[in-house]
Every structure is written in structure tokens, then in C-alpha cells.
Amino acid sequence: MARGTDRRTRSGRLAGDVRPAPGLLLLVVAAPAEAIAPLGAEPPGVPVAVVCLGRGEPGEAQALGSALAAARERGHRIAGEPHVLDPRDDAEERLLDLFLDLGPARVGTLDPDPESVAVEGGERKYAVVEPPARGAAALAALAAARAYQEHTGRPVYVECRRAGADPYASGEAASRYPRQSRWLTRGTDGRLSVHLLSAAGVLCWTETVPGGPDWGGPELLETPPELMPGLTVLQGSDGYVRLFGLRRATDKGAQALEVVTAAQYQSGRPLAPWQSIGNPNAREWERARQVGFPVAALDGEGTLHVFVRNVGRGISTRRQDRAGRWTGWEHLRGRRIADELAAVPGPDGGVDLVARRRDRAEAVHWHYDPASRGWAEDRTVPVRMVPGSLAAAPEAGGVRFRYADTNELCLWRPGAPAPEALGGADGGGAATGAAGAAVQGWSCTVLVRPGGDGTTAIGVHADGRPDTGTWWAPGGERSLVAPAVALDAGGRAVAAVLGTDGKPRVMRQREGAEGLDFEPWRAL
């Protein structure tokens, strides 16, 4: 079933090899069985190749062979037999050879920071319960993907499957780092920008003039080389774009992770220097490596609040005032939560944080009161959510999610007795939106989400009145991340996707059209 990988030159391919179709997904795993779950999460039609850094246990190769046969029946285009690396070779070097040979647009791999469990005893110690080869395979894949992009200039996007994830979980629910959703923004000069994290760093595309239609880019922004494959994009009322991520702090130990942030103050300009804001478990790096992914929000006073899930499955937060001063980490007491958080400005000038419970469909809610500068937990949240569907809804002061019992999209404003239905029960993943679009003389909120067939669906409802009904229509393009939407300088809605070929595309609301009508998709 599997084939070995003879060393290839970096200037060509082995005779007889067939180059896979554009948009190739390259799965890099430690052993054959670990490719089965991510393969099953992919929609039909995706071109896939598999690389194993070891042969695994007896029977694993046969199990993967059966999974690949089933994937072919579902319409996947499987690029030959799995590659198995020789353990005597340097994994990063051999992976780079394969990347150069195969030309992937995406890389799927494992969790570089496998989950650990508490060890019984007098001291609080944690032990990793997964084979170390899994984390090593992920780190080798990340390094090779970065080197490939730097060598070729071709963007490649990496996704890591979370340790211990349900084998049947969707890609959104099983991802170690959340898929980007808010990645299309409008700067202070009126130009739209796209910020996407590739293997080699943050890529930025920017409109050449406000309102388009032309774009410049991609420009590779200065990014720490150890940044993990996830990115949170925040934009406040000041128009500045703030980026947040996790960096592998090799200067503090091979396993250390820290939260980092950088700001872009003007569209199309370089980022300000990246700043470390640490890790709530920094005194114990073997625990700190399990920190969740950061989310952030600005309160009415302009104070920046950053949140992460800590190793104890609670919430840790820091805040930065307008003068740039940071508080220490504060630990919010509460129930055990999953790696799924959303932070939004509150109607009273404070901040609301909503998180999904770890082992059940419920959610928890904290509110920050700027007057008392304290946090209060609300344990009576009328929300039951599908994993991987929670997203901030800043234009409505609430959060969106899929209701666990029906898969229907909902909007919940903290403090409301019940969520409001938005329809769209087909599909999965998060929905994002932008308010203030003019549709037949009405001010409307435009929503985008993955549809039932995997392509983007476009929805619209009157601003602040989802109870009057949300109308959905097909958008016709798949996206590797949650589709995004923003208003351009002329007030027209612009939807954006990251195509399966790794190229972003946008479509703009047609000016003067009856109803919500869009121009054709345009590749950037």
C-alpha cells in the first residue's frame, strides 16, 4: 500500500510521477492511522496526498488503504500511494523535498502540543499521554511548509488537528487553532484589507483605492517565524487592525508558547513590532504549551482585553489601557471550557466573553464592568451550541452560533432570555456579518457562512431585527476558512473566501441593483 520515498532532487520530480491537481491537501502524520480522521473530514473532490513519518503499528497501512479507497468513492482525487519516510533521514529535509515535488496549497497535520493529564501525587505535574512522534511530526511539517513557501513564494496554509479530537468531528471542531473568520477589514482610509496567516507569515492584500475593484498584494508582513498556524484579527472603532496569535518561544524552552500581538495602524502599511504578552502558566512551560488560542475585544474606554483558555480549562485575561500599560494575568473562576471563545464589546461600555463548555453543548458568559473594573459570571446562559460554530457578532453586540438541537444559526445578545433564530440549518461552521448595507432602501445586516454543499451562503436581515426573517441565497464558492464580509468605502457589502486553491476571492454588492445582488467573484 505505502511506498517509500527515494531522495529526490529539488529541481525536478521522479520519472513517472504525476503532479496532483491544483489545491492539493498534503496530510503529514506520524503514522498511517492518524491520516484517517482528517481525510474523512474533507469534502468530496479535494485532491489529497499522504506522507507518514513512520510505518506505525501492524494493520495501520491497511486501515489507511481502506480509508483512501472510500475517499476515492466519495470523489476525492487521491495523488498516488502514501509516502513513508525513512526514519534515518532528516524529516524536515525530506518533507521539503516532497513539498517541492507535490506543490501543496494546504498542509494538514497533527497537534504540535499534545494534550497532557494531571499526574496523581503531592506535586502538581502533568504528563503527555500521546506518543511524542505526533508532536514531532507536526513541528517538522510546520518547518517544511515555511521553508517551501520561502523557497517558492507560493502561499501554503497549514491546519493542525487537535489532540484527542473526536475522529468524527468536523474540521472546524477538531482544529487546534481556530479557523479565521474575521479577516476582511476596512481601514481608516476606506480601503479594504485581507489578512491571512500562511506558513511563512501573515499575507496582506489591500484595495488600491477605496471601493476597489483592484487590489494589491499579497505582501508578506513581518511575522515571528515561530508563529503557530492561527490568527485572530480585531478591529476597533479607531480603525486599527490588531493581530493575535501563539508563538513558540524557543528562547524560553523547546515547548514554550506565548501570546503575541501586533498592530497595523494604516491600510497597506507594515505592522508595528510584535509584542509578547506572555502566558498565564508561564512558570511551568510543560503546562503552558497547552494554552488555548487568544481572542480579544475593546471596551468603551479603549481598553484592550485579551483572553485565553488556561491549562486548568478556565479563562485567563489581561488588559491594556490606552497608554499601553498591561495588567497581570487574572484568572476568572468558572466552569471548564473548550477552546472556543468569543469576545465582544458590551452595550454598557464593558466587554462580554462567551465560551463553550468543554464536555457538553452549554455555554458560559462573563461580563466586565468598567465602573467596578471587575468580572461577573453568568451561569444561566440560554445557549446550546454546535462545536466549531461560535463567532463574535460585534455589529450586534452579541455572538452567533449553531443551535445544538437543530444546527440552525442563532444570535444571542448577553442578557437576553433566549437566542434569535437566523435559519441556515444546512452546512456547518461559523457565520460572520456586517451591518449597515443598503438593500432596497433598507439598512441591513449581510451574513456569510458555509452552506450545505460546502459553498458559501449569503444571508440578509434588517439591521437589529433578525426576528423579521433572514433570507439566504447560494454564493457559489468554497472557502478554506470561514467566509468573511465587510462594507467598502461606498457602503457596499463585499464577501470574501479563501478558495480551495489557496487564493482569496471577493465579490462586491452590485450598485443600484434590486435586492441583494453581487458582481461575479474576483480573484485577488
Side-chain angles (χ1 to χ4, degrees):
M1 176 63 197
R3 63 179 176 182
T5 55
D6 298 326
R7 185 167 298 280
R8 307 176 184 210
T9 67
R10 296 188 178 180
S11 60
R13 296 179 289 129
L14 287 177
D17 280 7
V18 177
R19 180 171 290 279
L24 174 74
L25 167 64
L26 183 60
L27 294 176
V28 180
V29 294
E34 290 156 358
I36 296 175
L39 180 64
E42 289 297 316
V46 174
V48 180
V50 178
V51 181
C52 305
L53 272 63
R55 297 188 179 279
E57 299 296 325
E60 286 195 34
Q62 291 79 2
L64 176 57
S66 298
L68 289 170
R72 288 188 180 94
E73 292 181 359
R74 296 195 304 272
H76 288 298
R77 290 167 285 169
I78 307 301
E81 302 297 333
H83 301 265
V84 179
L85 301 190
D86 188 328
R88 297 169 296 180
D89 287 341
D90 180 277
E92 292 180 20
E93 183 180 352
R94 293 297 299 114
L95 283 173
L96 177 56
D97 287 341
L98 283 171
F99 279 37
L100 291 167
D101 182 66
L102 297 172
R106 289 194 292 152
V107 174
T109 188
L110 306 168
D111 190 340
D113 297 291
E115 190 170 3
S116 62
V117 297
V119 177
E120 295 183 1
E123 299 182 12
R124 296 183 64 186
K125 294 185 177 180
Y126 286 73
V128 174
V129 296
E130 288 195 323
R134 295 182 183 175
L139 291 175
L142 290 170
R146 185 182 303 117
Y148 165 78
Q149 184 170 336
E150 291 172 347
H151 183 82
T152 64
R154 301 171 189 158
V156 59
Y157 300 91
V158 183
E159 184 169 307
C160 299
R161 190 172 181 86
R162 178 168 47 82
D166 183 340
Y168 301 101
S170 66
E172 295 87 358
S175 181
R176 167 65 169 95
Y177 311 102
R179 295 182 177 181
Q180 287 185 242
S181 57
R182 296 160 63 185
W183 48 274
L184 179 65
T185 59
R186 188 178 72 195
T188 54
D189 64 356
R191 291 188 294 164
L192 294 176
S193 293
V194 163
H195 293 85
L196 290 167
L197 183 63
S198 68
V202 178
L203 293 174
C204 182
W205 291 258
T206 306
E207 286 183 319
T208 55
V209 296
D214 295 328
W215 293 68
E219 180 182 359
L220 183 63
L221 303 180
E222 185 173 349
T223 311
E226 305 88 359
L227 203 66
M228 296 292 98
L231 191 69
T232 292
V233 179
L234 171 68
Q235 186 178 37
S237 58
D238 55 14
Y240 303 156
V241 173
R242 295 170 174 86
L243 308 179
F244 300 85
L246 284 177
R247 167 184 174 264
R248 184 165 293 277
T250 53
D251 54 324
K252 299 176 182 177
Q255 299 175 344
L257 286 177
E258 61 184 5
V259 180
V260 292
T261 182
Q264 186 182 46
Y265 298 112
Q266 294 181 345
S267 301
R269 300 293 296 170
L271 292 176
W274 286 83
Q275 177 186 10
S276 170
I277 56 177
N279 186 308
N281 302 112
R283 294 182 179 179
E284 302 173 86
W285 286 113
E286 70 275 10
R287 303 174 65 199
R289 66 188 297 209
Q290 297 174 48
V291 69
F293 204 79
V295 299
L298 291 159
D299 66 22
E301 297 178 349
T303 298
L304 174 66
H305 299 255
V306 179
F307 309 88
V308 295
R309 189 267 306 150
N310 56 44
V311 71
R313 296 291 168 180
I315 291 291
S316 294
T317 180
R318 293 188 75 179
R319 60 183 184 270
Q320 182 190 42
D321 63 22
R322 294 178 66 90
R325 296 181 295 259
W326 286 94
T327 65
W329 286 104
E330 179 181 358
H331 303 286
L332 306 184
R333 298 185 181 274
R335 305 178 185 183
R336 290 163 62 83
I337 57 123
D339 287 334
E340 195 165 356
L341 291 73
V344 295
D348 62 351
V351 167
D352 288 288
L353 177 75
V354 177
R356 180 172 61 84
R357 290 282 300 274
R358 174 169 167 78
D359 298 318
R360 56 184 74 177
E362 299 169 0
V364 290
H365 165 227
W366 288 268
H367 177 71
Y368 177 78
D369 179 11
S372 65
R373 298 192 182 279
W375 289 92
E377 182 186 0
D378 176 11
R379 296 198 174 193
T380 59
V381 182
V383 168
R384 287 173 47 78
M385 64 179 64
V386 173
S389 67
L390 177 62
E395 78 282 357
V399 296
R400 294 195 182 90
F401 61 95
R402 290 184 179 274
Y403 186 57
D405 298 332
T406 64
N407 200 49
E408 187 176 25
L409 280 169
C410 293
L411 166 69
W412 182 65
R413 297 179 177 90
E420 299 175 90
L422 300 171
D426 59 316
T432 54
V439 181
Q440 291 184 319
W442 294 87
S443 182
C444 293
T445 296
V446 178
L447 304 173
V448 291
R449 63 172 176 86
D453 62 354
T455 62
T456 298
I458 312 290
V460 61
H461 64 72
D463 275 344
R465 294 298 306 276
D467 56 303
T468 61
T470 303
W471 287 265
W472 293 97
E477 284 281 346
R478 292 182 183 270
S479 184
L480 299 180
V481 296
V485 63
L487 302 187
D488 69 8
R492 293 181 292 171
V494 178
V497 298
L498 176 59
T500 55
D501 58 358
K503 298 178 181 178
R505 291 170 171 78
V506 298
M507 68 173 180
R508 199 175 305 261
Q509 184 180 359
R510 199 183 300 275
E511 194 168 8
E514 292 291 329
L516 184 62
D517 187 24
F518 285 86
E519 298 170 355
W521 288 99
R522 178 189 180 101
L524 302 190

